[in-house]
C-alpha cells in the first residue's frame, strides 16, 4: 500500500508528487477532491487546475461522486447518533456537492466540444453538405440507384461488410473478435465470462464495496455489458433496503428513520453506503463504454470497407447534383438566408425545430413543384 493522504496534507504536497499519489490510489484522489472542494482557496491554484484538466476531469467527477455518497451517509449516521461533528461534516458535504455540480458541467462541456468537433456535427453546419443531404431525400430512388452503381464499380461486394449490431456491446464484441480493439484476456476475465450471472453480480458487489481497488476483469470490454447489468440489478436490490425512492439517487431518509432500532438503522445506513458506491460504479462503467465507442468510431474511418463505401456515396452525391443542379441551387438559396457566413450554418440551427421546419418546407416545395415559381425570373 502506498502513501495515504489526509485532507490536511494536501496543501503541502508538491504538484508532481500529488499527481503520483492520485495516479496510484483512488482514495488519494478522493482526499484531494475533498480538500480542494472544502479548502480550495487555501490550496495552491495549481491543485484546482490539475483536477480540471481534460485528462483528470472524469476521474475528478468520479471521486466527487464517491465522496458525496460517503459524506451523505456519514451525516445521516451522525444525525441519528447525535454526533457533535455533524455540522462540520454537513459543511464538507455541501462543498463537495457544489464541486460535483461544477465537475458535471465541465464534463458535459468536454463531451459537447467532442460532439461539436465530430464529423456529424460539422456536416450539420456546412450548407453544401446539408443541401446534398436534402437533395438525396428529395430523390431517394435515384440516389439509391447511383449508390448501387458506384458500389458495383468499386467491387464492394468483395469486402466483408460489417454486420448490423443490436447494441454497442455487440459492436464492441465484434471489434474485439476482429482485432480492432486490443483486449487481452486473463484467466480472471475468462472465469467471469463463463460465470453465472449471480457470480458476476457478487464480483460487482465486492468491487463496489472496496472503492480503492478495481477488479479489472469486470472492466474488460467483453465484460462491460454483464457488469452494467449486474450494477443495475444491485442498485434495484439495494434501493429498498436503503430506503431510497430510486436506485439512481439516495434522496432523503424517510421521516420514520429516527424511530428505527439501532440495528435497523445501521442496516439502512450500510445499504445506503453500498448504493452510493454502486451509483459511482455505474457512472464509471458508462464512461468505459463511451470511451470504447469513441475509439470504434475513429477506427471505423480506417476500415477499407468504410473508406470504399464512403467514396461510393460521395461519387453518387456528385452525380445526383449534376443531374439536379437547379434543385440543389434552390436548396442552397433557402439555406443562405440562415448562414452565419458563406457556406456556414450556425450551431444553434443544427438540431433546432427551426431547421426541421426549413427542411420540411424545402422538401415539400421540391415534391409538389412549387419551388419552380420562386426561381422564375418574373418571381424575383
Amino acid at each position: 500500500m502506498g502513501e495515504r493522504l489526509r485532507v490536511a496534507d494536501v496543501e503541502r504536497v508538491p504538484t508532481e508528487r500529488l499527481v503520483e499519489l492520485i495516479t496510484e490510489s483512488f482514495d488519494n484522489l478522493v482526499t484531494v477532491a475533498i480538500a480542494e472542494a472544502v479548502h480550495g482557496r487555501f490550496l495552491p491554484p495549481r491543485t484546482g487546475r490539475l483536477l480540471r484538466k481534460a485528462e483528470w476531469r472524469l476521474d475528478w467527477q468520479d471521486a466527487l461522486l464517491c465522496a458525496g455518497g460517503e459524506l451523505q451517509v456519514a451525516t445521516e449516521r451522525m444525525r441519528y447518533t447525535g454526533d457533535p461533528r455533524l455540522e462540520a461534516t454537513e459543511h464538507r458535504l455541501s462543498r463537495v456537492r457544489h464541486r460535483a455540480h461544477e465537475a458535471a458541467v465541465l464534463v458535459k462541456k468536454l463531451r459537447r466540444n467532442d460532439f461539436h468537433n465530430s464529423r456529424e456535427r460539422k456536416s450539420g453546419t456546412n450548407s453544401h453538405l446539408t443541401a446534398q443531404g436534402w437533395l438525396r431525400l428529395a430523390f431517394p430512388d435515384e440516389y439509391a440507384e447511383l449508390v448501387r452503381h458506384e458500389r458495383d464499380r468499386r467491387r464492394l461486394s468483395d469486402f466483408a461488410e460489417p454486420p448490423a449490431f443490436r447494441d454497442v456491446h455487440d459492436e464492441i464484441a465484434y471489434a474485439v473478435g476482429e482485432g480492432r480493439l486490443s483486449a487481452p484476456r486473463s484467466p480472471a476475465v475468462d472465469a467471469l465470462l463463463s460465470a453465472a450471472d449471480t457470480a458476476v453480480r457478487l464480483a460487482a458487489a465486492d468491487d463496489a464495496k472496496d472503492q480503492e481497488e478495481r477488479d479489472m476483469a469486470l472492466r474488460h470490454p467483453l465484460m462491460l455489458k454483464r457488469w452494467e447489468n449486474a450494477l443495475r440489478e444491485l442498485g434495484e436490490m439495494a434501493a429498498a433496503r436503503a430506503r431510497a425512492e430510486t436506485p439512481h439517487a439516495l434522496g432523503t431518509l424517510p421521516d420514520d428513520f429516527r424511530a428505527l432500532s439501532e440495528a435497523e438503522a445501521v442496516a439502512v445506513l450500510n445499504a445506503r453506503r453500498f448504493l452510493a458506491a454502486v451509483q459511482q460504479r455505474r457512472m464509471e462503467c458508462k464512461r468505459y463504454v463511451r470511451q470504447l465507442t469513441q475509439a470504434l468510431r475513429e477506427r471505423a474511418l480506417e476500415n477499407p470497407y468504410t473508406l470504399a463505401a464512403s467514396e461510393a456515396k460521395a461519387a453518387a452525391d456528385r452525380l445526383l447534383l449534376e443531374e439536379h443542379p437547379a434543385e440543389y441551387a434552390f436548396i442552397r438559396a433557402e439555406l443562405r438566408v440562415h448562414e452565419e457566413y458563406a457556406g456556414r450554418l450556425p450551431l444553434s440551427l443544427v438540431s433546432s425545430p427551426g431547421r426541421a421546419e426549413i427542411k420540411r418546407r424545402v422538401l415539400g416545395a421540391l415534391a409538389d413543384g412549387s419551388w419552380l415559381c420562386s426561381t422564375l425570373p418574373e418571381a424575383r
Side-chain angles (χ1 to χ4, degrees):
M1 181 66 69
E3 181 182 342
R4 295 293 296 273
L5 274 176
R6 296 180 305 168
V7 170
D9 298 331
V10 173
E11 64 178 297
R12 295 189 295 272
V13 180
T15 303
E16 295 75 15
R17 179 57 181 154
L18 206 58
V19 171
E20 295 174 0
L21 290 171
I22 65 179
T23 299
E24 69 185 28
S25 168
F26 184 74
D27 278 352
N28 284 341
L29 177 59
V30 172
T31 299
V32 173
I34 293 174
E36 196 279 332
V38 180
H39 308 298
R41 57 181 175 162
F42 302 112
L43 298 183
R46 61 180 180 273
T47 302
R49 291 196 297 269
L50 168 67
L51 295 173
R52 290 163 177 78
K53 283 185 176 180
E55 60 265 36
W56 280 104
R57 200 173 294 173
L58 293 169
D59 295 305
W60 178 44
Q61 185 186 32
D62 270 358
L64 288 167
L65 180 62
C66 175
E70 290 281 345
L71 288 168
Q72 178 173 343
V73 176
T75 60
E76 291 167 348
R77 191 185 305 275
M78 291 175 182
R79 193 173 294 111
Y80 179 81
T81 60
D83 193 308
R85 297 171 295 174
L86 174 61
E87 185 176 351
T89 307
E90 285 182 327
H91 171 71
R92 182 172 285 192
L93 172 61
S94 174
R95 297 307 305 162
V96 165
R97 283 176 170 170
H98 177 78
R99 278 293 190 268
H101 174 72
E102 180 187 346
V105 170
L106 290 175
V107 166
K108 286 180 181 178
K109 181 179 179 181
L110 192 66
R111 292 179 191 151
R112 188 164 56 247
N113 289 342
D114 288 342
F115 178 52
H116 287 168
N117 291 325
S118 67
R119 294 179 65 194
E120 297 84 358
R121 192 67 164 179
K122 288 180 178 178
S123 297
T125 60
N126 184 303
S127 285
H128 169 65
L129 295 177
T130 299
Q132 278 191 329
W134 292 4
L135 195 65
R136 291 195 293 266
L137 295 174
F139 301 98
D141 295 338
E142 188 175 344
Y143 176 69
E145 181 58 35
L146 288 170
V147 171
R148 278 194 293 271
H149 174 75
E150 292 299 322
R151 287 171 65 90
D152 289 343
R153 197 162 67 83
R154 287 166 173 76
R155 302 175 62 87
L156 273 172
S157 58
D158 295 344
F159 290 92
E161 184 174 357
F165 303 109
R166 290 177 299 176
D167 55 32
V168 66
H169 295 290
D170 275 359
E171 185 179 3
I172 290 171
Y174 176 81
V176 171
E178 292 293 305
R180 290 171 54 209
L181 282 178
S182 177
R185 286 166 56 166
S186 66
V189 172
D190 288 334
L192 274 182
L193 286 171
S194 61
D197 290 345
T198 51
V200 175
R201 196 162 56 239
L202 286 172
D206 289 341
D207 178 81
K209 289 173 184 175
D210 190 347
Q211 286 287 325
E212 170 66 2
E213 298 299 326
R214 294 290 193 275
D215 185 344
M216 298 312 298
L218 287 170
R219 291 156 177 80
H220 189 277
L222 295 178
M223 277 301 303
L224 291 177
K225 183 174 185 177
R226 298 192 69 190
W227 185 32
E228 183 180 357
N229 290 338
L231 289 171
R232 186 184 65 253
E233 292 167 2
L234 287 170
E236 292 169 351
M237 294 164 60
R241 299 196 305 271
R243 305 290 183 94
E245 294 182 4
T246 168
H248 309 293
L250 292 181
T252 57
L253 280 166
D255 295 336
D256 64 350
F257 175 72
R258 293 182 64 83
L260 297 178
S261 67
E262 182 177 353
E264 291 173 323
V266 168
V268 170
L269 292 170
N270 286 341
R272 289 173 73 78
R273 188 167 183 261
F274 176 68
L275 180 58
V278 168
Q279 290 164 357
Q280 184 276 322
R281 288 301 200 247
R282 292 185 74 174
M283 176 181 284
E284 185 180 344
C285 181
K286 290 177 181 177
R287 173 152 62 97
Y288 281 114
V289 173
R290 279 194 298 268
Q291 290 171 341
L292 288 176
T293 302
Q294 177 64 27
L296 288 177
R297 278 200 296 264
E298 293 171 357
R299 292 175 190 180
L301 301 177
E302 304 167 1
N303 183 285
Y305 175 87
T306 302
L307 291 171
S310 178
E311 290 173 358
K313 290 180 179 179
D317 275 329
R318 289 193 296 271
L319 292 170
L320 187 67
L321 194 154
E322 291 172 5
E323 289 294 321
H324 300 282
E327 289 90 337
Y328 171 78
F330 164 71
I331 300 174
R332 285 299 306 272
E334 292 295 310
L335 289 171
R336 193 166 293 118
V337 297
H338 302 282
E339 293 177 349
E340 290 181 320
Y341 52 83
R344 167 80 181 197
L345 296 168
L347 275 174
S348 58
L349 186 67
V350 171
S351 56
S352 70
R355 182 188 177 97
E357 175 57 26
I358 298 167
K359 180 179 177 181
R360 184 198 62 76
R361 178 167 49 78
V362 167
L363 292 179
L366 289 171
D368 63 20
S370 60
W371 70 278
L372 289 167
C373 299
S374 64
T375 61
L376 294 174
E378 57 270 20
R380 290 198 290 264

